[in-house]
Amino acid sequence: MKPQVFILLIAVTVRSLPAFGQAKTVGGPCEGCEAIYESPVPFDKLDMFVKLPDANWAGQKPIGINGIVYKADGKTPAPGVVLYIYHTDQTGHYTPKADARGWGRRHGQLRGWMRTDEKGAYKFVTLRPAPYPGRTDPAHIHITVKEPGINEYYIDEYLFADDPLLTSGKRQKLENRGGSGILTLKDVGNMFKAERHIYLGKNIPNYPREQ
């Protein structure tokens, strides 16, 4: 074999291997996922419950969403998982605060952070978001996950089963990352409630699997 051909084969082989000491990014590209690190409270001090403080509660009936975050086996509760959520306001816009910085300028003021407790539980209360002004996409709540030892990644947005914009075609295109995010709201009088369990690693690219 000619020396130059041998060198070329080595170069191609090296490029095809993962970089030494460099792990694959779990979940793939995720614009804005780094906003999870803008939490005003250190991760280890976060509560499992958050009420989005900048929602306009006057005359509004809030929604309360709770659930359990499970490990990849689908049955073991996952404590210490940080969740970051954000959504549009009642006009369908991500309206920022006047002094907003970082991703708060794009994600708006309706955002919050929580950390699952020892039972893997989480809960948040907010107002139901409005769809974008163009009314082509269903109303939704974005969510980013950061579990111990793994980079942050997004999972399927929270959606609403009774949303007329959530067509059968759009349902079929959902990836079910972390499990289904479609919520069925129940009117309990003073608020609406819904439940969503989250399954870490489900349909998440490059997610590490136990051998």
Side-chain angles (χ1 to χ4, degrees), residues 123-188:
K123 180 180 180 180
F124 65 92
V125 174
T126 187
L127 293 178
R128 180 167 176 165
Y132 298 145
R135 295 192 61 81
T136 57
D137 294 322
H140 54 276
I141 299 174
H142 295 277
I143 175 169
T144 301
V145 173
K146 174 66 179 77
E147 52 182 297
I150 295 179
N151 62 268
E152 66 283 357
Y153 58 88
Y154 74 92
I155 60 175
D156 270 23
E157 302 156 343
Y158 292 89
L159 299 164
F160 302 93
D162 62 352
D163 189 336
L165 296 176
L166 184 59
T167 62
S168 59
K170 286 185 169 63
R171 289 172 186 256
Q172 292 174 4
K173 292 180 180 179
L174 296 174
E175 299 178 82
N176 286 325
R177 290 172 59 116
S180 175
I182 299 177
L183 303 174
T184 299
L185 295 176
K186 180 179 180 181
D187 191 342
V188 296

Side-chain angles (χ1 to χ4, degrees), residues 62-137:
I63 57 174
I65 300 170
N66 68 281
I68 305 294
V69 177
Y70 292 101
K71 294 183 179 181
D73 62 10
K75 57 184 180 182
T76 305
V81 176
V82 177
L83 307 175
Y84 166 66
I85 57 170
Y86 68 97
H87 63 78
T88 60
D89 58 21
Q90 302 302 288
T91 70
H93 295 90
Y94 298 104
T95 305
K97 294 182 179 180
D99 60 349
R101 297 181 179 181
W103 283 98
R105 293 191 292 259
R106 291 182 58 181
H107 291 178
Q109 58 187 328
L110 297 176
R111 59 181 191 152
W113 294 258
M114 66 212 104
R115 182 172 181 263
T116 59
D117 62 16
E118 68 279 0
K119 297 180 180 178
Y122 76 94
K123 180 180 180 180
F124 65 92
V125 174
T126 187
L127 293 178
R128 180 167 176 165
Y132 298 145
R135 295 192 61 81
T136 57
D137 294 322

